[in-house]
Amino acid sequence: AQSVAQPEDQVNVAEGNPLTVKCTYSVSGNPYLFWYVQYPNRGLQFLLKYITGDNLVKGSYGFEAEFNKSQTSFHLKKPSALVSDSALYFCAVRDPHSNYQLIWGAGTKLIIKP
Amino acid sequence: EAQVTQNPRYLITVTGKKLTVTCSQNMNHEYMSWYRQDPGLGLRQIYYSMNVEVTDKGDVPEGYKVSRKEKRNFPLILESPSPNQTSLYFCASSPQTSTDTQYFGPGTRLTVL
């Protein structure tokens, strides 16, 4: 079955330190992968996506993600965390067997402490 | 301003009282979708629409209806709401398919007593 896993419910990082939010997927065929962010009391906002090409994808607000086919992962990273990065982060993957709808991870709450 | 709007933003209702949550986008997007967000479950798709008059069930369609009579509007209808439909609902749109970047509305927090 197609699925997306975000193994950490919450990630705590000190401001200025690098951050990683993990995502692994299970989908047949070539995956289309996405990261979205949800700030408190707001809708989701697109951060970045991998469709094809360079495995390192750069997105909004200084975030990047690395597609690793052998490990079926698409971890979100940022070199230096800001307090304003505190939010809920969702990973999603296209499901080629369900009319290409997105399968969403459960979300990871990122807390950046000053 | 390009946006997806939802109304109402907050709604408290009682079991069995029909309600409609409206969704409208001004970006001429073909694809629209409804999700519900529950703690620990992430986003689950309720219904989606690839174009006008074309709608399909998502993962959790039971208890919901939708219609797509115009490109810009995609209302979510709960004919007889029940407490297990208490949730945070999001409407989203994208230019063509779900592989395009999706633009989300601000959300509607629904409580069914």
Side-chain angles (χ1 to χ4, degrees), chain A residues 61-91:
Chain A
Y61 311 120
F63 283 93
E64 59 187 28
E66 185 168 11
F67 171 62
N68 188 316
K69 190 172 184 178
S70 63
Q71 297 186 7
T72 61
S73 67
F74 190 56
H75 300 333
L76 182 70
K77 300 181 180 184
K78 188 174 181 180
S80 179
L82 300 172
V83 173
S84 57
D85 292 330
S86 298
L88 188 56
Y89 291 80
F90 289 96
C91 181

Side-chain angles (χ1 to χ4, degrees), chain A residues 30-34 36 46 48-51 92-96 98-104, chain B residues 31 35 45 50 93-102:
Chain A
N30 295 320
Y32 286 11
L33 295 152
F34 299 79
Y36 283 79
F46 170 77
L48 51 80
K49 64 182 176 183
Y50 172 83
I51 303 298
V93 64
R94 179 190 74 167
D95 181 0
S98 182
N99 210 9
Y100 301 104
Q101 298 310 297
L102 291 178
I103 303 169
W104 295 83
Chain B
Y31 178 91
Y35 297 93
Q45 190 177 51
M50 304 288 275
S93 72
S94 64
Q96 290 185 321
T97 72
S98 66
T99 54
D100 289 314
T101 299
Q102 294 197 25

